[in-house]
Structures are given as C-alpha cells and as structure tokens.
C-alpha cells in the first residue's frame, strides 16, 4: 500500500499513471490532501468513483489523531498527536505579528540526550515519515483555517533531530513547499540541529534556502559537552566550519540558539566567550531562557541576568534576540506533553 501523503507532486503523478489514469489526477489528489485537508478518498468528489475505489485498494492517507490540545495565553497551542502505531508526537502552533508558525517534530523521542531537554527522557522510538511530519502542519492548518489564517512558517524544532532523520525531514519540507499544497516558501522554513556537522554540509547542497538554526548553548567544548553529548563527535570548531560552509553555499545567515541556564552558561564570562566565538560569523543569536522540566534540576536565570547577557552581546555588535515566553503555560519544552501522555 502506498502512503500517498508521502509523495511529492511529481511522484503522485507517476503513481496515478501507474493506475492507468491521466497525470492531472495526481495534482487533483495532492490538492485534496494538502490544500483541502481531506483524509478520505470518498471526499474527493471530482474523481471518478472507480478511481476512488482503486485508490482505497492501493494506497492510504496518513492522518494523525489529535489526542489533546493545550492552549496558552499568547496564542500558543500545543498539540499531542497519535500515530497509527499508538506513539505520541508533539507539534506547536505559535502566533506572531507576521503570521502563524508551525513547530514540528521529526522523531518519536530523541537519541541526542541533551541534558536539559525532555525529548530524550523516554528514549528514541523511531523516525517519523515525511507524511507524518507534513500532517503535523496540516493538523494545525485545519484549525487556523477556521479563522481565515494560514500556516506561513515552519520550523523543525520539535522532538527529535531533523538531520538524524534527514531524508524524511527534507522531503517533508519539499512537500510543504509545493504550490498545489500549502505552498510555504523555503525562506520561511527553519531546520534546527544540535550539531550534526555532516548533515549541515549535506543540507547546504540541497539548493533549498531554508534557515539553519544551530543549538549551540555554550561557547566552549567543556561546557557544551556537559550539556550536549553530540559535542564529543562534532566539537565546536568543526560545527563552526560547517556553519560557515552553509552560509557560503546558501547565502543565508545562520541562527545560533542559546538556552540560558542558571549558573551553567549564563555568566558574563560565558557571554564574552560567545562573543569571541561568533565574531565574524555573521550569525544571529536567539537567547532562550530555559523552560524548566520536572525531571531536570536546571533552572531559569533571573530577568536581570538574561538582560545582562543580552547586553554584552549587543555591545559587541552580535545580533541577538530574547525569545518570547510562548510555552511556559502549555508544557512547550520539547517532549513535556508527550512525557505526561506516556506515563
């Protein structure tokens, strides 16, 4: 059986041709699934009945079940979605002045074991398919369409490491970009990585101008390695080389995510080390005050400490923003809501 939501438009055209149908039927089916958001072949009313029956016999439409939604006070909604094999994944809808952003997961669980993150607490289960990643966005689109809105931005920043599920993640972005579907510009997509340097270099060659966001969280190998085991495989300087390669090949500025953790990486010294590391990188720093989780002892810095850290970067002409608190009231740290569901 063909997972039909997993197909790009040209692949879907080829599939319907294999069924003895004209290629334009593939475009019709793609539009029904990705624009009209249907989950049943019976709803595709401009297709012949015989074709709809044949599609039921040869293919299926991946549709995640919404198990719960958790709404915050600032336009943020966290979705707990269930897969066909009863695994739970998370997606987050965020409202900004410039529109709706969908934050998507790429794996069930995570292998990376970052010490401050809830994603890997239950271990790694499996990769998501491209169709499952896409359907996270479609579930969100179905809701926002009720008030005339459109998902205009996608970030692969949920549970899992996108570059560890490389083929599915990139294919999902290509499907979401397709004009006969949601039609989201690649320039409005972001791929976040904990630092898989080979994957960064591979992504640079894809010729899709997405924003690269690197979860840095420390400017020295000793601190970063304590927080992020991946640093043992790809130390900071190797990571910086890959980031420079990405910038050169794509012309896109790289964003560096930095989770501020009290008494771990938030001192003036840490800020100055970050300045030294990023000077000349033409990157942007996104400071993220830690979203605490029950199972970890790490805590959030004071507002004064956050502002002090930010000012040191600003004074050194390092572009920096402090991320808005969009998720403290919806368990929006990656893995938190799934963790509660799986207990």
């Amino acid at each position: 059986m063909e997972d039909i939501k997993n197909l790009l438009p040209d692949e879907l055209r080829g599939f319907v041709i294999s069924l003895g149908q004209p290629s334009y039927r593939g475009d019709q089916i793609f539009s029904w699934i990705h624009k009209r958001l249907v989950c049943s072949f019976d709803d595709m009313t401009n297709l012949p009945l015989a074709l709809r029956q044949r599609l039921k016999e040869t293919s299926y439409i991946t549709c995640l079940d919404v198990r719960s939604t958790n709404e915050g006070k600032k336009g943020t909604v966290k979705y707990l979605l269930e897969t066909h094999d009863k695994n739970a994944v998370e997606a987050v809808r965020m409202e900004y002045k410039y529109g709706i952003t969908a934050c998507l997961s790429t794996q069930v669980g995570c292998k990376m074991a970052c010490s401050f993150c809830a994603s890997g607490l239950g271990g790694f289960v499996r990769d998501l398919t491209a169709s499952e990643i896409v359907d996270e966005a479609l579930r969100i689109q179905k809701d926002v369409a009720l008030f005339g809105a459109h998902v205009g931005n996608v970030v692969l920043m949920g549970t899992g490491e996108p570059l560890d599920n490389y083929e599915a993640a990139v294919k999902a972005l290509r499907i979401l970009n397709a004009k006969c579907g949601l039609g989201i510009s690649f320039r409005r997509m972001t791929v976040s990585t904990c630092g898989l340097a080979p994957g960064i270099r591979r992504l640079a060659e894809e010729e899709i101008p997405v924003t690269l966001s690197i979860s840095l969280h420390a400017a020295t190998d000793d601190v970063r390695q304590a927080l992020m085991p991946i640093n043992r495989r790809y130390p900071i300087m190797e990571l910086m080389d890959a980031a420079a390669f990405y910038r050169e090949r794509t012309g896109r500025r790289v964003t560096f995510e930095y989770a501020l953790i009290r008494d771990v990486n938030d001192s003036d010294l840490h800020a100055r080390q970050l300045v030294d590391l990023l000077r000349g990188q033409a990157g942007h720093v996104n400071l993220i005050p830690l979203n605490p989780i029950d199972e970890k002892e790490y805590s959030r810095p004071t507002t004064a400490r956050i502002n002090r850290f930010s000012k040191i970067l600003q004074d050194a002409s390092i572009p920096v923003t402090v991320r808005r608190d969009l998720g403290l009231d919806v368990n929006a740290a990656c893995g938190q809501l799934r963790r509660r569901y799986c207990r």
Side-chain angles (χ1 to χ4, degrees), residues 21-35:
Q21 297 290 321
S23 63
Y24 74 86
R25 293 294 187 196
D27 293 333
Q28 290 178 315
I29 295 167
F30 194 94
S31 180
W32 275 112
I33 293 172
H34 297 277
K35 188 169 286 186

Side-chain angles (χ1 to χ4, degrees), residues 102-237:
C103 179
L104 312 180
S105 296
T106 54
Q107 295 175 315
V108 181
C110 185
K111 302 174 186 176
M112 300 302 146
C114 297
S115 65
F116 55 89
C117 181
S119 293
L121 287 174
F124 173 77
V125 180
R126 68 170 175 87
D127 290 328
L128 293 177
T129 63
S131 60
E132 289 171 326
I133 298 168
V134 166
D135 201 54
E136 295 176 60
L138 298 185
R139 296 300 93 200
I140 293 173
Q141 176 59 35
K142 189 171 185 178
D143 281 356
V144 301
L146 296 176
F147 51 89
H150 181 79
V151 173
N153 304 272
V154 164
V155 294
L156 301 187
M157 287 187 179
T159 300
E161 165 56 56
L163 299 185
D164 187 50
N165 186 17
Y166 187 92
E167 288 81 6
V170 170
K171 187 170 190 180
L173 296 180
R174 293 187 186 279
I175 292 172
L176 292 169
N177 171 256
K179 291 182 180 178
C180 47
L182 289 187
I184 301 171
S185 168
F186 284 127
R187 291 184 174 273
R188 292 183 173 272
M189 297 180 182
T190 297
V191 175
S192 177
T193 177
C194 68
L196 275 64
I200 292 172
R201 292 178 176 274
R202 184 179 176 188
L203 186 64
E205 305 282 8
E206 290 284 349
E207 297 184 353
I208 55 173
V210 299
T211 297
L212 175 67
S213 180
I214 295 176
S215 296
L216 188 59
H217 309 315
T220 60
D221 283 322
D222 57 340
V223 177
R224 191 168 191 268
Q225 197 156 298
L227 294 172
M228 307 177 71
I230 193 65
N231 197 74
R232 297 188 184 97
R233 290 176 61 192
Y234 307 112
I236 287 177
M237 293 317 299

Side-chain angles (χ1 to χ4, degrees), residues 114-117 226-227 261-262 264 290-293 295-300:
C114 297
S115 65
F116 55 89
C117 181
L227 294 172
I261 306 170
R262 179 180 292 186
V264 174
L290 184 72
N291 199 347
I293 58 177
E295 296 88 348
K296 303 289 186 179
E297 296 180 357
Y298 294 127
S299 60
R300 183 187 184 90

